Amino acid sequence: MENLIFSLNATIPVFLVMVVGWILRQRGMLTDGFCSAAEKFNFQVTLPALLFKDISGINIKEAFDLRYTLFCAGATTLCFLGAWIGARLFMKDKYSVGAFVQACYRGSAAVLGIAFIQNIYGSSGMAPMMIVSSVPLFNIYAVLVLVLENPENKGGGSAAIKKAVIGVCKNPIIWGILIGAVFSLLQWQLPVMLSKTVGSLAAMATPLALIVVGAGFEGMAALKKVRPTLIASLVKLVIQPLIFLPIAAWMGFTTDKMIAVLVMLAAPTTPSCYIMAKNMNGDHVLTSSVVVTTTLLSAFTLTFWIWALRTAGLL
């Protein structure tokens, strides 16, 4: 019961903020113009600021663990490739492939990861190392799949690959991660005025993303995508942890390392998926549907995984 209450307290408020966004949109308070501007602002400013703040604030050298880093990067890559291959083989609506793939593997590791582990252990533990190992790949792979699977890129082949590489290089979220990593490695500190400014922008990232996701949730249109939504949610919340948690246990990861792996694999799909899909002409309707569904269901699936790991003596 304690684990259920904890998970509900962690996830239901997130879902309710989305509901607020949807209600405000229905009442006409949030217009198309506001949502469009907020999406771009979030994508280009607040999300990069959040990732820069999180990564620059840790000591990568002290937290570095090669086996753990390779596991997190390898699991992220395999989840991405598995989702992409499956989508290419079985999805009839090719327009939705890119959005489906990123919704399957890309969780709220940076947004929820540190807070989740702090609530359990009192410190961030190995969450920063997991974030450095997986979040850059989350974003790089998302840019690649959204560009390469976009039907508008009819040139195909080298032209699509070139566009994907350019997209990765110009992506502000990836720049936030890279600059944060440089600051962390060199132990640089921003002047207090700049640090507080970045902190204020970062604080807006998650609530603004959730409001925009809720406002952009197209009820009847999303209902037409129930099947891919449920499949993506099953992959994100159940199948990925079912495959990789036993491997993590076999490799000897326990306590804060195991919780960080759980967050990486089984956290709900991050709201920034919606922002990126909308800004890169992906299927944002499917993405918002998966974000809402995984956020709601994760209260129960995460509770189950925590119970299973504790029962196995891994937490």
Side-chain angles (χ1 to χ4, degrees):
M1 180 58 69
E2 181 181 346
N3 289 336
L4 176 61
I5 292 173
F6 168 78
S7 295
L8 290 173
N9 285 336
T11 56
I12 294 302
V14 174
F15 179 73
L16 292 178
V17 174
M18 295 182 192
V19 173
V20 169
W22 181 81
I23 292 173
L24 294 178
R25 181 63 180 271
Q26 301 307 306
R27 293 175 62 88
M29 186 178 294
L30 302 183
T31 63
D32 289 340
F34 170 85
C35 291
S36 178
E39 288 158 7
K40 292 181 180 178
F41 176 63
N42 220 354
F43 180 68
Q44 296 179 9
V45 180
T46 64
L47 287 171
L50 173 66
L51 291 169
F52 168 81
K53 178 176 176 291
D54 283 347
I55 293 176
S56 65
I58 65 174
N59 190 324
I60 294 178
K61 292 179 181 178
E62 289 184 1
F64 186 74
D65 180 327
L66 181 60
R67 288 178 70 250
Y68 191 72
T69 299
L70 292 176
F71 172 81
C72 291
T76 297
T77 301
L78 290 175
C79 289
F80 166 71
L81 292 176
W84 197 359
I85 292 170
R88 289 293 299 270
L89 290 175
F90 300 110
M91 285 195 77
K92 295 180 180 179
D93 184 1
K94 299 305 178 185
Y95 169 68
S96 299
V97 168
F100 175 85
V101 172
Q102 72 154 348
C104 281
Y105 77 87
R106 193 172 167 210
S108 299
V111 176
L112 298 180
I114 291 178
F116 195 82
I117 297 171
Q118 283 178 333
N119 280 336
I120 296 177
Y121 291 106
S123 67
S124 60
M126 288 301 290
M129 198 70 256
M130 177 271 290
I131 290 171
V132 171
S133 305
S134 60
V135 170
L137 294 179
F138 281 176
N139 290 278
I140 290 171
Y141 292 157
V143 174
L144 286 172
V145 75
L146 287 170
V147 171
L148 293 176
E149 292 295 345
N150 191 331
E152 295 180 2
N153 298 328
K154 296 180 180 179
S158 60
I161 294 174
K162 180 180 179 181
K163 187 171 182 179
V165 172
I166 293 173
V168 169
C169 293
K170 294 172 63 176
N171 189 284
I173 293 176
I174 293 173
W175 275 106
I177 292 169
L178 291 176
I179 297 173
V182 170
F183 269 69
S184 176
L185 288 169
L186 299 178
Q187 290 295 288
W188 287 349
Q189 299 289 331
L190 286 175
V192 174
M193 288 186 290
L194 287 179
S195 178
K196 289 186 176 181
T197 301
V198 171
S200 296
L201 292 172
M204 285 190 282
T206 300
L208 183 58
L210 295 174
I211 287 288
V212 172
V213 169
F217 185 70
E218 302 175 28
M220 294 306 296
L223 288 177
K224 298 177 182 178
K225 300 178 183 288
V226 170
R227 189 168 182 269
T229 294
L230 292 179
I231 292 174
S233 300
L234 181 66
V235 170
K236 185 73 195 72
L237 302 177
V238 178
I239 295 177
Q240 289 180 172
L242 187 63
I243 294 172
F244 289 101
L245 286 178
I247 297 174
W250 175 75
M251 293 182 69
F253 301 140
T254 58
T255 60
D256 59 333
K257 289 184 178 181
M258 183 60 80
I259 282 291
V261 169
L262 175 63
V263 170
M264 179 186 75
L265 295 169
T269 299
T270 176
S272 60
C273 279
Y274 171 84
I275 304 298
M276 188 173 285
K278 191 71 180 288
N279 277 270
M280 298 182 68
N281 300 315
D283 188 347
H284 60 280
V285 174
L286 173 60
T287 306
S288 67
S289 183
V290 176
V291 170
V292 172
T293 303
T294 55
T295 299
L296 182 61
L297 295 180
S298 65
F300 306 99
T301 56
L302 282 173
T303 297
F304 168 77
W305 289 121
I306 290 173
W307 171 84
L309 292 173
R310 284 188 173 179
T311 302
L314 297 171
L315 298 183

